[in-house]
């Protein structure tokens, strides 16, 4: 490391309504360094990064860039200083193309569409990102949206790149490619901060690790000086049991949900499988393999092709044209994109979870007692350890992981017969991951049918009783829990 850090924070504090989200933090970042931030949801990681990125101003403290004190009043100030942030929830404009998003904020008076598109294509190809620069950003998957964010930072010649949960929506292959890219950028002198709840990523790929707890930076040191256990102790102040729940090896012989030859555009191609009560059915596969798409067809969120297969719930054939119909029948779906499908940003925690509870009443929801709704919302908030400042705090002001917990609570409050969890622990801290996994297992043991869609193979292997592998819109392989290995799953997903 050079003698002088590119970024230095001294005694930085950020308060909201008198409550410190970050308190008296000292932090530095050196050129060519990969610095990981670890901590529970609400610990202050994103707050620290947003201060560096010019998104928010500190209440107290000093920020220096290249040894000079600066005040970043807006993200454009940070961009001019060579600082770019790739958000967990991407900041792309859905109505613009990939190329337009990549040059947004640095356009000239006159812009050649061809030159903009070619510049974007060159960067995307150099990073080995398979994204069409002429495609609308709103039509991209979560993984590809994040690729565009990273490419935009590279195109802007950023000296500092901040990545908030960069691997949360990526497959194992895409994750490996991302860290290869980070190593390549590091060799060019680019400094990087990355937030990750996957502690193995921080231990394997970071030069240094900083851990925050309750708004305070409690430790910083070389990654080689930590292991998983020590990081967890710094994060939560105690050891957390994160082992897998014991798989349930008993199931009913009659499926609670059965889908047969489902077809939807080019994404789902004759997909068939069954879900049994009391069993967790893992659905693995690469992004774009049809996993999430078939879930949306089941829910009535997306229309299947004419004559595009059949769906049975508890032996009764169903065809939903609206998600509300599936909800009333007892099917819940926890979307991979909480911002788009899971919540209303400005609603309170209590109202968001309460609406989920009320949805099971259908048209009779207007008769549901308000006091009971709020009691149910509080019970689920406490059960999932949602960190909030009262039940009336807006969901938008929660950390990303706590927002995910609210979305899960909203779905589970309906006491559904079938639950489809699409990336349920994305952006969730290590302590809450264990809690959510136990809740998933408990729902299966209560007799519900559970579908677990996850790009994180250890999660699929730990939780699933039976594992299906999707490829090119169909089921390419099926394994029992005893048969399944990460190698077998990846081989079926790729070959």
């Amino acid at each position: 490391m050079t003698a002088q850090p590119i970024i230095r924070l001294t005694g930085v504090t950020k308060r909201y309504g008198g409550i410190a989200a970050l308190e008296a933090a000292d932090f530095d970042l050196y050129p060519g360094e990969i610095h990981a931030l670890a901590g529970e949801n609400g610990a202050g990681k994103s707050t620290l990064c947003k201060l560096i990125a010019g998104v928010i101003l500190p209440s107290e403290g000093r920020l220096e860039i290249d040894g000079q004190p600066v005040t970043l009043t807006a993200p454009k100030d940070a961009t001019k200083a060579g600082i770019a942030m790739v958000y967990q929830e991407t900041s792309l404009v859905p109505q613009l193309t990939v190329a337009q998003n990549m040059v947004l904020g640095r356009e000239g008076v006159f812009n050649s569409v061809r030159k903009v598109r070619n510049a974007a294509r060159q960067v995307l190809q150099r990073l080995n990102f398979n994204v069409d620069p002429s495609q609308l950003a709103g039509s991209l998957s979560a993984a590809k949206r994040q690729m565009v964010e990273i490419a935009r930072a590279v195109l802007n010649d950023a000296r500092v790149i901040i990545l908030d949960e960069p691997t949360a929506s990526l497959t194992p292959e895409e994750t490996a490619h991302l860290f290869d890219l980070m190593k390549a950028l590091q060799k060019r002198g680019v400094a990087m901060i990355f937030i990750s709840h996957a502690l193995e990523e921080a231990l394997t790929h970071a030069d240094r690790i900083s851990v925050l707890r309750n708004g305070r930076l409690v430790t910083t040191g070389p990654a080689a000086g930590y292991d998983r256990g020590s990081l967890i102790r710094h994060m939560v102040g105690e050891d957390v049991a994160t082992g897998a729940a014991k798989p349930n090896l008993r199931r009913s012989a009659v499926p609670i949900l059965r889908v047969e030859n489902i077809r939807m555009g080019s994404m789902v191609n004759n997909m068939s499988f069954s879900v049994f009560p009391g069993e967790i059915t893992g659905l693995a596969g690469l992004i774009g393999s049809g996993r999430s798409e078939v879930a949306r067809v089941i829910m009535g969120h997306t229309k299947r092709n004419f004559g595009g297969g059949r769906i049975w719930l508890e032996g009764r054939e169903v065809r939903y044209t609206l998600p509300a119909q599936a909800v009333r029948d007892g099917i819940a779906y926890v979307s991979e994109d909480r911002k788009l499908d899971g919540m209303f940003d400005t609603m309170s925690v209590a109202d968001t979870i309460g609406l989920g509870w009320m949805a099971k009443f259908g048209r009779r929801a207007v008769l549901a007692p308000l006091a009971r709704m709020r009691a149910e919302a509080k019970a689920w908030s406490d059960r999932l350890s949602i960190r909030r400042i009262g039940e009336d705090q807006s969901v938008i002001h929660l950390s990303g992981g706590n927002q995910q917990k609210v979305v899960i609570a909203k779905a589970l409050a309906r006491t559904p017969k079938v639950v489809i969890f699409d990336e349920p622990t994305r952006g969730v801290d290590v302590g809450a991951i264990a809690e959510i996994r136990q809740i998933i297992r408990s729902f299966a043991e209560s007799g519900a049918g559970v579908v677990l869609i996850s790009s994180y193979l250890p999660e699929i292997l730990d939780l699933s009783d039976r594992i299906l592998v999707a490829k090119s819109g169909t089921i390419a392989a099926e394994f029992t829990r005893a048969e399944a290995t990460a190698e077998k799953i990846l081989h079926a997903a790729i070959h």
Side-chain angles (χ1 to χ4, degrees), residues 115-285:
K115 288 183 179 180
V116 166
R117 189 178 299 162
N118 287 342
R121 181 178 286 108
Q122 288 174 7
V123 173
L124 290 165
Q125 289 176 345
R126 177 154 51 96
L127 299 177
N128 197 26
F129 287 165
N130 183 25
V131 183
D132 182 355
S134 62
Q135 191 172 356
L136 289 178
S139 66
L140 298 177
S141 67
K144 289 191 174 183
R145 289 198 299 270
Q146 194 166 63
M147 291 177 189
V148 175
E149 293 264 22
I150 295 169
R152 178 166 63 183
V154 173
L155 180 64
N156 289 337
D157 296 321
R159 298 188 300 152
V160 175
I161 299 178
I162 304 169
L163 302 114
D164 189 355
E165 288 289 338
T167 64
S169 58
L170 304 184
T171 64
E173 292 78 15
E174 290 166 338
T175 297
H177 175 65
L178 171 67
F179 283 114
D180 287 342
L181 169 64
M182 290 171 65
K183 295 293 184 183
L185 292 172
Q186 182 182 31
K187 290 178 181 178
R188 291 165 46 185
V190 177
M192 282 158 282
I193 302 170
F194 80 94
I195 299 172
S196 179
H197 290 302
L199 300 185
E200 292 80 5
E201 293 178 354
L203 292 166
T204 303
H205 300 289
D207 299 308
R208 285 196 297 160
I209 301 174
S210 291
V211 180
L212 292 100
R213 183 171 75 237
N214 297 327
R216 290 185 174 273
L217 201 155
V218 295
T219 184
T220 295
Y226 300 99
D227 58 22
R228 181 179 176 85
S230 62
L231 283 181
I232 291 173
R233 284 191 292 275
H234 284 304
M235 288 167 60
V236 301
E238 59 187 14
D239 291 318
V240 175
T242 57
K246 184 178 179 180
N248 179 18
L249 301 179
R250 294 174 296 175
R251 76 177 191 202
S252 165
V254 180
I256 190 170
L257 177 72
R258 181 161 63 96
V259 303
E260 183 178 291
N261 297 328
I262 296 297
R263 299 187 298 279
M264 189 279 292
S266 61
M267 297 301 297
V268 183
N269 181 29
N270 286 336
M271 190 175 288
S272 302
F273 60 88
S274 296
V275 179
F276 294 86
E279 179 186 76
I280 297 177
T281 302
L283 189 52

Side-chain angles (χ1 to χ4, degrees), residues 408-468:
I408 291 172
K410 179 169 72 76
L412 300 187
R414 303 165 188 159
T415 319
K417 303 170 184 175
V418 177
V419 192
I420 304 172
F421 292 97
D422 197 346
E423 308 286 1
T425 59
R426 176 179 292 169
V428 175
D429 63 66
V430 65
I433 285 173
E435 296 168 0
I436 290 173
R437 290 183 180 179
Q438 184 55 49
I439 287 171
I440 293 172
R441 170 56 59 194
S442 296
F443 254 74
E445 291 176 349
S446 72
V450 174
V451 178
L452 173 66
I453 301 171
S454 179
S455 300
Y456 187 47
L457 287 184
E459 183 164 79
I460 287 281
L461 290 166
D462 286 348
L463 275 177
S464 305
D465 300 312
R466 185 168 52 97
I467 298 170
L468 310 174

Side-chain angles (χ1 to χ4, degrees), residues 306-362:
F306 178 76
R310 305 170 73 183
I311 299 173
W312 290 266
L313 177 67
E314 295 184 310
R316 175 175 62 91
E317 187 169 0
V318 295
R319 188 182 186 101
Y320 303 120
T321 56
L322 293 172
Q325 298 166 342
V327 168
R328 287 196 295 269
D329 273 359
I331 305 178
Y333 174 50
V334 179
S335 169
E336 64 173 335
D337 192 332
R338 57 178 172 266
K339 289 280 190 180
L340 182 64
D341 297 321
M343 64 189 195
F344 296 103
D345 291 353
T346 55
M347 288 186 68
S348 70
V349 173
D351 287 344
T352 301
I353 300 173
L355 278 179
W357 176 75
M358 292 175 66
K360 66 182 180 179
F361 295 103

Side-chain angles (χ1 to χ4, degrees), residues 282-304:
L283 189 52
L286 304 181
I287 291 172
S289 61
R291 303 171 308 166
S292 299
E293 289 79 8
V294 76
R296 296 190 187 103
V297 169
I298 293 170
M299 288 297 298
H301 183 282
T302 304
K303 304 300 183 292
R304 57 187 125 150

